[in-house]
Amino acid sequence: MLRPRCPAGRDMRGGPLPRGAGAAPCRGRAGQSRTVPGAGRAGPGAQRSEGERQRPGDFPLPERGGAATAAAYRSAAARPPGRRAGSMRGSGPEAPPPSAAAEGRQQEAEQDRAAAKAFYDSLVSKRPRPPNPQHAITVAVSSRALFDLVEEQRIYEEQGLEKYLEYQQDNENVTLKPGPAFYLVKALEHVNARLLELYPDDEERFDIVLMTSNHAQVGVRLINSINHYGLTIERFCMTGGESPIGYLTVYLTNLYLAADSEKVQEAVEAGIASATMFTANKDVAYSDTQLRVAFDGDAVLFSDESEQIVKEQALDMFFEHEQLNENKPLAQGPLKGFLEDLGKLQKKFYAKNEKLNCPIRTFLVTARSAASSRARVLKTLHSWGLEIDETLFLEGAPKGPVLVKIRPHIFFDDQMFHIEGAQKLGTIAAHVPYGVAQKYHKSA
């Protein structure tokens, strides 16, 4: 990730629908107060209490062309009952206790949830019931990330909306081919199946949401394709031409994956961990029994503090900076929360003596050098209480060949240089538009 320059990459032009206004992030859980780690660009991230998960707004605000857009961090306008905002610059004063009306709404929501659970439990079906969104790890995917809609997108761009909808309706019984997020979703659902075997009543597992700006007329084909592949995707959000980003907080989204880079940028600016997915240029066999996720370090798991020095002051200054700050944890980046979620699920398998047969494996693939940049990365992970199964320091070498060996279902990186290199060798890559590298990418 630490490269002197970043060549321009391919940009995925907007979806079949116009952009709309985003929404404010949704944070913390009911009854919990916390210090938001890394709020602000410098300083170590504070630890969260046990059981608390990173939610939108927890990572330092990205810069667009170097200018901080702090206004994106505002209070959520439509927060579900029983949830309250976290503090942006520290724990801050406690929020006032909920009103009697709010408590009543929360009680009604719990009663509705209990009734829905009883209904699902009474059905004779092999399909697992959806988890409670308050406890689930929600991954929202767009229709163009889940399925291959390249031809449909071409029709929309060349012939317009009416022809696009007509084509979709005429082909509603034609199954869509897998898109870049398809095999990741399959792997997430395999993890869910294993968790249900070990913890039948536990709600902490993945919940996949289809988040699309498509029209309802396209929904039949999407549903038919989802059922054809046996995917468990019960929650949809179809906004009929408007941007779906405002609904991400309502759906308590932990991670948003899409093929539209503009929508992903909008989500990142709203404080939601997001990435633009790119299809691999070669067909690769992915594991059916283990979810494999690879992360870059700076500006992905960590803030872009160190990368700013590389871009603006040169490599020697970076080495000096890392030596001076070796024992100072880096602030968190946008994907730290997702790694944290994966780690919590891994521990559930370890608790059942399944460590050697764990269906989740994580990788850190960084262009940092190990000795020259010291052990700051590893010490930061340790200070967060997080583990990475495999760590690879490449000292500026291309990441593509290493990723061929790993064969991850998804690889997160903030630089298009690495995204394109991974694509060429058959890795499904996801671009995280966060940090100082985006300024250099746009100006290239």
Side-chain angles (χ1 to χ4, degrees):
M1 198 198 71
L2 296 171
R3 309 282 304 188
R5 59 191 299 272
C6 179
R10 291 183 291 275
D11 189 17
M12 302 291 291
R13 292 296 301 166
L17 316 161
R19 295 180 63 199
C26 178
R27 307 179 180 89
R29 293 194 174 184
Q32 295 177 335
S33 63
R34 66 186 178 192
T35 300
V36 177
R41 189 153 298 277
Q47 294 295 307
R48 280 191 291 274
S49 61
E50 181 65 26
E52 196 172 9
R53 173 183 299 121
Q54 182 189 26
R55 285 291 185 183
D58 282 358
F59 56 87
L61 195 65
E63 295 189 359
R64 171 172 284 194
T69 52
Y73 285 95
R74 54 193 183 274
S75 299
R79 185 172 296 106
R83 297 173 66 88
R84 61 183 178 80
S87 169
M88 294 312 303
R89 298 292 176 183
S91 297
E94 289 291 326
S99 65
E103 291 180 345
R105 289 193 299 270
Q106 177 67 16
Q107 186 176 5
E108 290 177 2
E110 291 299 327
Q111 290 173 348
D112 290 343
R113 174 68 191 171
K117 180 180 182 298
F119 171 75
Y120 275 100
D121 289 344
S122 68
L123 295 177
V124 180
S125 174
K126 295 182 180 180
R127 297 178 71 90
R129 71 175 188 274
N132 185 337
Q134 292 283 345
H135 304 292
I137 301 165
T138 301
V139 178
V141 296
S142 73
S143 56
R144 289 204 290 140
L146 183 61
F147 296 118
D148 181 352
L149 290 167
V150 173
E151 176 61 20
E152 289 77 3
Q153 180 70 10
R154 184 191 64 78
I155 292 173
Y156 169 76
E157 292 176 351
E158 295 179 0
Q159 302 180 37
L161 178 60
E162 294 302 321
K163 289 293 183 181
Y164 167 79
L165 295 177
E166 181 182 335
Y167 179 87
Q168 292 281 33
Q169 289 177 295
D170 290 344
N171 291 274
E172 62 185 23
N173 292 319
V174 178
T175 302
L176 293 164
K177 295 179 180 180
F182 180 87
Y183 296 103
L184 171 68
V185 169
K186 293 283 286 185
L188 295 176
E189 294 192 350
H190 174 72
V191 173
N192 281 353
R194 290 283 308 278
L195 284 169
L196 284 171
E197 291 174 1
L198 299 174
Y199 302 92
D201 298 321
D202 195 356
E203 299 279 2
E204 191 172 27
R205 58 185 188 272
F206 295 109
D207 185 19
I208 313 301
V209 175
L210 186 67
M211 186 72 57
T212 175
S213 49
N214 258 307
H215 291 251
Q217 295 94 313
V218 185
V220 174
R221 192 180 187 193
L222 293 173
I223 291 173
N224 287 344
S225 298
I226 285 170
N227 288 333
H228 171 82
Y229 292 111
L231 301 178
T232 305
I233 302 179
E234 303 293 351
R235 294 204 293 160
F236 277 39
C237 179
M238 307 182 69
T239 58
E242 297 298 322
S243 171
I245 303 306
Y247 288 99
L248 291 174
T249 53
V250 178
Y251 279 75
L252 306 182
T253 302
N254 296 89
L255 176 66
Y256 173 58
L257 301 172
D260 186 336
S261 61
E262 292 184 356
K263 288 187 176 66
V264 167
Q265 182 69 57
E266 186 181 347
V268 167
E269 290 176 0
I272 297 168
S274 310
T276 306
M277 297 206 68
F278 293 87
T279 304
N281 294 347
K282 296 181 179 180
D283 291 332
V284 174
Y286 300 97
S287 174
D288 294 327
T289 58
Q290 187 178 65
L291 168 66
R292 301 171 73 82
V293 182
F295 300 90
D296 180 27
D298 296 276
V300 175
L301 290 180
F302 315 113
S303 73
D304 67 339
E305 167 198 333
S306 298
E307 188 165 349
Q308 289 185 57
I309 296 174
V310 173
K311 297 290 186 184
E312 298 171 1
Q313 299 184 40
L315 199 58
D316 288 341
M317 293 298 296
F318 161 74
F319 291 142
E320 181 179 341
H321 176 267
E322 294 302 284
Q323 181 178 355
L324 292 173
N325 293 278
E326 180 177 358
N327 296 315
K328 178 182 178 181
L330 289 155
Q332 71 179 54
L335 269 296
K336 183 256 189 176
F338 187 57
L339 175 63
E340 187 176 44
D341 292 332
L342 295 176
K344 287 181 179 179
L345 296 186
Q346 284 180 312
K347 290 179 180 178
K348 288 179 177 289
F349 291 100
Y350 300 166
K352 297 288 187 177
N353 296 319
E354 293 283 331
K355 186 165 187 175
L356 296 179
N357 194 31
C358 181
I360 303 173
R361 194 161 186 84
T362 55
F363 305 81
L364 172 61
V365 182
T366 173
R368 280 175 175 254
S369 57
S372 299
S373 59
R374 304 290 172 160
R376 191 180 185 193
V377 162
L378 300 179
K379 290 183 177 182
T380 296
L381 291 171
H382 180 73
S383 74
W384 291 346
L386 299 181
E387 297 179 0
I388 288 276
D389 293 307
E390 299 187 29
T391 304
L392 299 100
F393 292 89
L394 302 183
E395 196 184 9
K399 298 182 179 182
V402 169
L403 293 167
V404 170
K405 174 64 176 177
I406 294 172
R407 292 192 178 183
H409 292 92
I410 190 169
F411 163 59
F412 295 99
D413 202 291
D414 68 310
Q415 298 201 43
M416 285 303 302
F417 175 86
H418 294 306
I419 296 295
E420 293 172 349
Q423 271 188 288
K424 290 177 182 177
L425 296 182
T427 296
I428 294 177
H431 178 238
V432 181
Y434 177 84
V436 68
Q438 310 318 305
K439 177 172 66 175
Y440 289 86
H441 166 60
K442 291 175 183 179
S443 62

